[in-house]
Every structure is written in structure tokens, then in C-alpha cells.
Amino acid sequence: MARRPLPRILSSGSASITRSREIARTAADSAIDVLHPLITITRGLRLLAGAGRQKWAATPKDRRGPTLFLVAACVLVVALIPYGSFMALVTVMCAAARKGRERSPVRTGPNEAETGRLQALYDALVPYFSTADDPSPLFVHGGDWDQVFSDYEFDGDGRVSRLRVTYPAYFTDSEAASRARIEQLLHAKSGRGREYRFSWDEEGNQLVMSVLGALPTSITAQHFVTAPGETVLGFTDDDAVQRTVPVSDGDGTRDAPGVVWRTGARTTEPHLLIAGQPGSGTTTLMRSIALQALQQGDILIIEGSGIGEYACFNGREGVLAVECGPAGALATLEWAAQETERRLIEASRARQSGYAVPKDTRRPLWILLDRPSVLGHLAAVGGGPDPQELLQVPLRHGRAANVTVVMTEQFDSLDGLSDTVRTHTRARVVLGHCSPVQIESVLGLEPHTTPTPDVPPGRGYARLGAGPVLRIQVPATPDPYDDTTSEAQRRTVLGLLPERRTAIEATAPAPVAAETVTASVALESVAVSD
């Protein structure tokens, strides 16, 4: 069958049709450019009319009459004013042009760069969240990230600040090593130098990664509003604790989430251990605790380093002793052990006789020991006993006798702590830059956040007993006698210190008091045995 030739208009007129289409498209674009102001004003008038109808429908019926009368009066006044109609028309046109202008569309999804980051994260997780036997895998090479990333946010630099990952149910999320691999991968791919929190929902098979902001360092030492037996160690994230503490921050006052440590006869964590590197803020935290303890009881300060970081407490009301040498430290610790025994005996006698416990046994006694490893080394050189042996009685029986022990030690000397110290100091604080392994060795649990390489002094982690690991920022409590301390902070710390004792009380030798207490305890022991 012979083929019929194409019509002339289809074989030879294709160029004319293409040229006509281009002319029509150009004419349409030119018309739109010319009529664009009219289109904008028309759109604006339509939007204004719709807004007016909605306003009129929302007006109650009993107010429509006065409203209509007010509008008519305004129209009459405008009509009577010279050039009023022209001005009203110009005003309406300007309002319509403003209302009808085209606005930039709101971006609802990630841009090209953000999509590339999400795809890179997806491809990096494929080897960890996929197996060859999975019939319908969530993670496959070349797959789509939108199936597993249900929630994501980006910061101003285009880096991921929040990400929700849905992973397969067969992933071993109950094993710490498996979780650590995923956290390390997401940390590296999302950008280093920031602190990330990883929340694992093992029941729902979801992982939420979020970037945490830096804790504020502007809170300084002050009189915190707490109940008796409560000490503010520092401040943490808003969603980490259920209690806030009113604090003075700068020129104002606000409520900050505080890490509150409870001591006394009913506490489960009666003693505290602080670990950190040099310059991490352990001494700052010790000074902050001492200032708060002086509001309710008496303190003994034993400084193993002998630098004189606690010289501002010497001779103050409530400060029983500030010792730096090994001989004075041993004598003070021996007196503290005997005082603990005396309090136990007095309290036992009062309860057996049916009387109230004496006030002197109910007044809290704090033993603040800084760097006991140095004192132990000096005592070993001199042939004396280890100071940690004298702490066994306050550590074991301090909760019943209202005696609290707070110790600070550096990481390189933690191995020298005795088993008694490790067992009874269940409240722990780690300050300064340290690895997750070091944090776990002290707190007994890894943090849910990634430590940052650069941290300010007083920044670390805290764990009270079997509770969760919390980020913490210690209130700034510098040495007021240090030349590098600012004048404002110097006045703040000096204002919190109690008044100095009288000359006679300040110069009373501590060994005499220790001998007196020793004799009284011996007499009481004989009386009890009789």
C-alpha cells in the first residue's frame, strides 16, 4: 500500500508554527509585565474585600448598626473634605498594592546543600543498619533518606542540629558498643566542635540526635534559696531536672535549673567526690560548697596541695580549721574522727533516755579535703599514717552523725583512693575536658552527650547516686585574694564570707581542742563499757 504524502501545512509549515508560538509567548510576557501593577492591585482589592466580609461576619448583630453608621459618617466626612475623594482613592490603591504583592514562598523542605548532607548521613549509616537477609531494608545503597529521617533541623551554617532516625528492629541497640559506633559516626558526619545528645528509644526503634547549647557561665556565687541540708553544685539543662533555683544573673533575676545535692541523716548520697584536671574548676566548686555549708554548719578545710587557695576562710565564723601541712591535716582528721564518734555516742544516749538529740550533734559538720593523694605521699615519706585511714569513721558513720565529707582529686591520682572512699562517695562530679572512658570510670555511666574539646572552667558532668548523668556548670567562685580575680567577683565572694572571729578565738590552738575531745571520748567510752 503506497504511503500518502503529508499535508503541506505539516511538512513545510513547522518553522512558521514555531515562530508564531515564540511571538505569542513574547507578547504574553510583555502584556503581563505591562499589566502587572493592575493585576497586583486587583488581587489586593479582592483580598481587602474578603477581609472586610470576614470582619463584617464576625461583628455581632447588635453592633452592626452603629458600625455601619460610623462607616457612613467617615465616608461623608472624606467626601466633604477638599480632595478627600482623591486621597481616599490613592490610599485604597496603595493598600491594595501592598496587600496584593507577591510574597516569597515559605521553604518547607531542605535546600540542595541540606539534602546532600542528609543523603551523606544516610549513606554512612547503611553498613550499620542493613543486612543481606532483610527482605525490606530501610537502609540500602542508593536509597532515599526521607524514609528514615522523619524530623530534621539545620543551624545557620547549614549543619544538622536535630535529627530523628528510624532504624530496623534487629539492630542491637541494647549493647553499649553498638550505640557508641552510631553516635561516633553521627558526631563526625554532623560536624565536630559541638555537643550532641543522643536519646535512644529502644521500644520505638528511633534515635534522636540534638545539638546542645553551651551552659551559661555568668552565674556567680551567691546565697541560693534552698532548704536546710541542700547544696547547689551547679546548673544544668532546662529539661534535665524538675526543679529550678532563683539566681541573680547579671542585672536581673531568673530561675535556673540547678543540680541540688541533699545531705543529712535521710540522704542516700552523704559524701561527694570531685575529679578533674588541673584548672578544671574543682577548687572553685569546693569554695562554692564551703560558702553554702557555712550558712548551716561548721567546716574543716584540709588543702593537700598547700597553695593557699582557701586562705580567705581562715579565721572566719564557722571555720574550725584551715590546714595545709601534713601534721596539721592528720591532727584535724583525727579530731574529726573522734568528733564523729562523740556525736554518735551523744545521740545514742539521748535516744535511749528519751530526750531530744543535743543541738551540737545536729549541727552539720563538713570536712573538705582537697588533694588527699599529696597528703598521703607526704605522710608515707614521714612514716605517718595515710589520711584516708582517718576518714573511715566519718565516711562510714557520717550520715548518722551529720558529718559530710567532700573530696577533690585529679585523674592521675584516682587510683590511690581507698576502697572506703570509693564506696561511700556515691555523689560524683567530673570537671574539665575528659574522655568518655574517664567520665565512666568516675561516674559509673557514660554521658548521653559528646564532650567538647574546649570547655570553660567549672564545666563537666555530675551524677548523684544511681541517678542520670547531668551536664553541670559550677557557679564562678574565684579566690578573692588572687590577683587575676576581677573586682566585682572579689567583692561578691568576700560579701558571702562570714565575719571574722575575735582575736582570742582566732589564735586558739587546734591541738588543745583535739586533746580535750580525745579525753572526753575516752571517758565516755569507759562509762559506756561500765
Side-chain angles (χ1 to χ4, degrees):
M1 181 176 179
R3 296 181 58 186
R4 298 179 60 183
L6 293 174
R8 182 179 181 83
I9 189 172
L10 296 179
S11 60
S12 62
S14 58
S16 301
I17 293 174
T18 303
R19 192 181 305 110
S20 300
R21 289 178 178 176
E22 292 178 356
I23 294 174
R25 188 179 297 108
T26 303
D29 294 339
S30 301
I32 291 176
D33 293 338
V34 173
L35 299 177
H36 184 267
L38 181 60
I39 296 174
T40 301
I41 293 176
T42 303
R43 188 190 302 115
L45 290 175
R46 185 176 70 254
L47 295 176
L48 289 176
R53 287 194 301 269
Q54 293 178 0
K55 188 69 175 178
W56 178 259
T59 303
K61 294 183 178 180
D62 56 344
R63 295 185 181 181
R64 291 184 177 181
T67 303
L68 185 61
F69 176 77
L70 180 60
V71 172
C74 292
V75 172
L76 180 61
V77 171
V78 171
L80 294 178
I81 295 176
Y83 303 103
S85 302
F86 176 73
M87 295 175 61
L89 180 62
V90 172
T91 303
V92 172
M93 293 297 104
C94 292
R98 179 178 177 81
K99 190 72 174 179
R101 72 186 188 277
E102 294 182 357
R103 295 174 175 84
S104 58
V106 179
R107 184 170 62 90
T108 58
N111 55 26
E112 184 178 356
E114 295 172 351
T115 302
R117 283 183 174 272
L118 293 176
Q119 187 64 39
L121 286 174
Y122 177 86
D123 295 337
L125 292 173
V126 169
Y128 300 93
F129 287 149
S130 63
T131 59
D133 301 334
D134 192 352
S136 57
L138 293 175
F139 290 82
V140 292
H141 293 284
D144 297 331
W145 56 265
D146 55 355
Q147 297 180 359
V148 295
F149 297 159
S150 58
D151 183 16
Y152 48 85
E153 296 178 3
F154 294 87
D155 57 7
D157 298 332
R159 297 187 297 177
V160 178
S161 59
R162 178 180 174 83
L163 182 66
R164 182 184 296 273
V165 183
T166 301
Y167 55 88
Y170 54 78
F171 177 72
T172 56
D173 52 2
S174 59
E175 299 178 1
S178 300
R179 294 197 304 266
R181 286 195 299 267
I182 301 300
E183 293 175 1
Q184 183 180 5
L185 175 64
L186 292 176
H187 179 204
K189 293 294 184 180
S190 301
R192 300 184 182 275
R194 300 184 297 176
E195 192 166 4
Y196 296 87
R197 172 188 290 171
F198 297 95
S199 301
W200 291 84
D201 183 7
E202 300 179 4
E203 184 178 359
N205 299 321
Q206 289 187 346
L207 167 63
V208 178
M209 181 192 71
S210 57
V211 177
L212 300 176
L215 295 176
T217 59
S218 56
I219 302 178
T220 60
Q222 54 193 278
H223 287 299
F224 299 109
V225 181
T226 56
E230 293 182 344
T231 304
V232 177
L233 300 180
F235 299 90
T236 183
D237 301 301
D238 295 334
D239 56 348
V241 293
Q242 300 180 354
R243 176 179 176 180
T244 58
V245 179
V247 296
S248 298
D249 189 2
D251 297 334
T253 303
R254 64 182 182 90
D255 292 337
V259 180
V260 180
W261 173 42
R262 294 173 177 85
T263 58
R266 300 184 181 275
T267 184
T268 57
E269 300 85 22
H271 309 296
L272 176 67
L273 174 62
I274 307 170
Q277 302 289 356
S280 59
T282 56
T283 307
T284 296
L285 178 55
M286 185 75 86
R287 273 193 294 264
S288 176
I289 294 175
L291 290 176
Q292 299 179 62
L294 285 174
Q295 302 177 18
Q296 306 170 4
D298 302 326
I299 65 173
L300 288 171
I301 300 178
I302 302 172
E303 183 182 1
S305 59
I307 304 177
E309 295 283 350
Y310 306 94
C312 59
F313 292 94
N314 200 358
R316 303 283 180 173
E317 290 289 344
V319 181
L320 302 183
V322 178
E323 296 292 344
C324 299
L330 292 175
T332 303
L333 290 177
E334 184 179 358
W335 177 87
Q338 296 169 356
E339 174 65 13
T340 304
E341 295 174 352
R342 185 193 69 82
R343 291 185 173 210
L344 292 175
I345 294 174
E346 292 291 339
S348 177
R349 286 180 174 178
R351 294 189 183 97
Q352 292 177 5
S353 302
Y355 295 104
V357 179
K359 292 183 178 180
D360 60 340
T361 61
R362 288 181 296 172
R363 183 172 175 81
L365 174 62
W366 294 69
I367 303 174
L368 309 180
L369 182 56
D370 190 0
R371 299 291 307 278
S373 60
V374 179
L375 293 175
H377 177 72
L378 296 177
V381 173
D386 190 352
Q388 297 186 45
E389 298 178 1
L390 301 175
L391 284 174
Q392 292 185 6
V393 175
L395 287 172
R396 292 176 177 176
H397 308 289
R399 187 168 67 94
N402 286 325
V403 177
T404 303
V405 179
V406 180
M407 301 177 60
T408 65
E409 193 55 89
Q410 296 183 3
F411 279 111
D412 55 358
S413 302
L414 289 177
D415 296 338
L417 296 179
S418 62
D419 295 337
T420 305
V421 173
R422 294 178 178 272
T423 303
H424 293 87
T425 53
R426 300 183 67 250
R428 305 285 180 87
V429 176
V430 178
L431 299 179
H433 173 62
C434 46
S435 63
V437 177
Q438 291 177 321
I439 299 175
E440 184 181 9
S441 64
V442 178
L443 303 182
L445 189 67
E446 288 188 1
H448 296 289
T449 61
T450 57
T452 55
D454 299 327
V455 294
R459 172 70 171 81
Y461 297 91
R463 188 187 185 197
L464 304 179
V469 179
L470 305 175
R471 295 201 307 165
I472 188 174
Q473 177 63 48
V474 176
T477 315
D479 183 8
Y481 296 160
D482 192 356
D483 296 337
T484 60
T485 304
S486 63
E487 186 63 25
Q489 293 181 342
R490 188 195 315 276
R491 293 180 179 178
T492 300
V493 176
L494 291 177
L496 296 175
L497 288 170
E499 298 294 334
R500 292 190 179 276
R501 298 192 300 267
T502 60
I504 298 178
E505 294 176 349
T507 56
V512 176
E515 294 175 359
T516 304
V517 173
T518 304
S520 62
V521 172
L523 292 177
E524 290 169 354
S525 302
V526 173
V528 171
S529 61
D530 293 341

